[in-house]
Amino acid sequence: MSEQSSNILQIHNLSVAYATPRGAVRALAHVDLTVPRGEIVGIVGESGCGKTTLISSVLRLLPANGAVVDGNILFNGRDVLAMSDGEMRRLRGGGIAMVFQDPMTALNPVLSVGRQMVDVQFREQRSAGEKRAAAVAKLRRVGITDAESRLDDYPHQFSGGMRQRIAIAMALLTNPSLLIADEPTTALDVTMEAQIIHLLRELKREFAGSILFISHNLGLIAELCDRVFVMYAGEVVESGPVRALFHSPGHPYTQALLRCDPARVVQRTAELPTIPGEVPNLLAPPIGCVFSDRCPAVIERCRVTVPMPVPLGPGHQARCIRIDDAAAA
């Protein structure tokens, strides 16, 4: 099977910038990312690392001051950036569906849930009754009890966790090839978060498409995803199968992220571990490694040399010149 046919989404050398009064902000730089068919791929990183810009680029929903500077985005082998506006409207909610971060604002407050779930099926050649039946079936599947009568309720009559379940049901109603979940548990409490992750794990076994799961929570990524891409300051600094990356992280940033995971803190402490320093100013990004100012293993060459991906194992690579140094030693 060719690389194109084995991947539902291929992003190559993607660079995105935002125009501001102080100059261009480099939001993404030379990002390479693939989503294989039938897999869940995670994107993890601190706030501001470029996760939302990346998915906005895939859906061509960048704000007016944002622009793709370089690269291409292939969905099912077709270049998303070359599609017409009409083709993009058909793709959004059809081939690609999305579950947004905040379930409290994802639904229209003045329309019933049933009306919204029927309307989202506007491309389907079905009667109104068939669309309503499909909506009921999906609500039952995501764990909404008494689904038929609850179709006539409004969003404010559901809890945050139930609204997120409804959002997932709506996204899956169109049988998309790719489901993008943008931090779908961030606004929920721990109990609801666990329920949503359990639901996504169950749906993974039934859902024929792929899932791109964005999060800053390493535990969720480890529990749910098949492979993961670690982003920092607009770059992918490490990628690989989730087990390999969590057990043998190669990039100092990935190692630092894992050390900061509260689940890995074994002794009682008054302060949780953090990564010292600040994210670089992307108006004037570093010449060499983007993590050099915060890296405990930095040497002078890191500040002037752009690191290339270094293979660490099957499908596992990291952008760090110190890995090459260690291999040569």
Side-chain angles (χ1 to χ4, degrees):
M1 183 181 293
S2 68
E3 182 182 10
Q4 180 171 303
S5 59
S6 63
N7 295 316
I8 189 71
L9 180 69
Q10 288 177 268
I11 298 174
H12 175 63
N13 198 39
L14 183 66
S15 297
V16 173
Y18 291 111
T20 74
R22 293 195 296 160
V25 174
R26 190 205 68 179
L28 295 178
H30 312 296
V31 170
D32 291 322
L33 182 146
T34 57
V35 179
R37 296 181 188 278
E39 290 193 10
I40 299 183
V41 172
I43 302 177
V44 67
E46 294 172 279
S47 295
C49 71
K51 302 187 298 291
T52 299
T53 294
L54 180 62
I55 59 174
S56 298
S57 301
V58 171
L59 292 167
R60 273 186 33 199
L61 291 177
L62 288 170
N65 67 327
V68 173
V69 177
D70 196 10
N72 55 56
I73 302 168
L74 300 180
F75 176 75
N76 265 333
R78 294 194 60 203
D79 190 350
V80 169
L81 302 178
M83 290 183 181
S84 67
D85 290 343
E87 289 174 316
M88 281 306 303
R89 284 193 294 271
R90 289 190 290 274
L91 181 62
R92 300 184 195 111
I96 303 176
M98 186 162 175
V99 178
F100 291 94
Q101 182 176 134
D102 185 3
M104 310 308 284
T105 58
L107 301 172
N108 190 326
V110 300
L111 297 178
S112 70
V113 164
R115 168 70 183 275
Q116 294 180 65
M117 294 190 74
V118 167
D119 286 350
V120 82
Q121 302 175 68
F122 70 95
R123 296 186 180 92
E124 305 294 329
Q125 299 299 314
R126 302 172 182 165
S127 67
E130 289 172 327
K131 291 179 180 179
R132 186 177 173 88
V136 169
K138 273 290 185 284
L139 284 185
R140 286 178 181 149
R141 181 61 196 88
V142 299
I144 303 294
T145 57
D146 199 16
E148 190 160 3
S149 64
R150 301 231 63 184
L151 273 185
D152 296 321
D153 288 344
Y154 288 80
H156 72 271
Q157 295 173 277
F158 296 86
S159 68
M162 293 176 78
R163 290 193 212 185
Q164 197 63 298
R165 289 171 182 268
I166 293 168
I168 293 170
M170 289 179 67
L172 295 177
L173 266 173
T174 58
N175 296 313
S177 299
L178 177 64
L179 174 66
I180 299 176
D182 182 14
E183 303 199 35
T185 63
T186 298
L188 306 178
D189 61 43
V190 175
T191 303
M192 286 295 103
E193 179 180 74
Q195 291 181 11
I196 294 298
I197 292 303
H198 178 69
L199 172 62
L200 288 172
R201 271 207 316 269
E202 285 188 339
L203 291 173
K204 175 186 175 182
R205 294 192 288 267
E206 306 168 13
F207 179 48
S210 304
I211 299 176
L212 186 58
F213 185 82
I214 292 88
S215 181
H216 60 267
N217 189 318
L218 291 164
L220 299 186
I221 293 287
E223 189 174 355
L224 188 64
C225 298
D226 298 302
R227 63 184 69 219
V228 58
F229 291 78
V230 180
M231 293 190 67
Y232 180 76
E235 297 184 12
V236 173
V237 295
E238 186 166 359
S239 62
V242 67
R243 186 175 183 83
L245 190 140
F246 274 78
H247 285 278
S248 304
H251 197 281
Y253 176 63
T254 309
Q255 296 165 4
L257 273 183
L258 291 172
R259 284 195 297 270
C260 293
D261 185 0
R264 293 178 175 240
V265 178
V266 294
Q267 295 181 337
R268 294 187 65 177
T269 176
E271 295 183 3
L272 291 173
T274 60
I275 304 175
E278 298 181 356
V279 176
N281 180 2
L282 296 182
L283 280 166
I287 297 172
C289 175
V290 289
F291 190 58
S292 58
D293 287 343
R294 304 174 73 184
C295 182
V298 65
I299 58 176
E300 190 56 34
R301 193 154 60 91
C302 297
R303 302 184 190 279
V304 296
T305 303
V306 177
M308 293 293 106
V310 179
L312 300 173
H316 185 192
Q317 61 182 19
R319 299 170 69 99
C320 178
I321 64 172
R322 298 305 305 274
I323 298 172
D324 269 341
D325 290 347

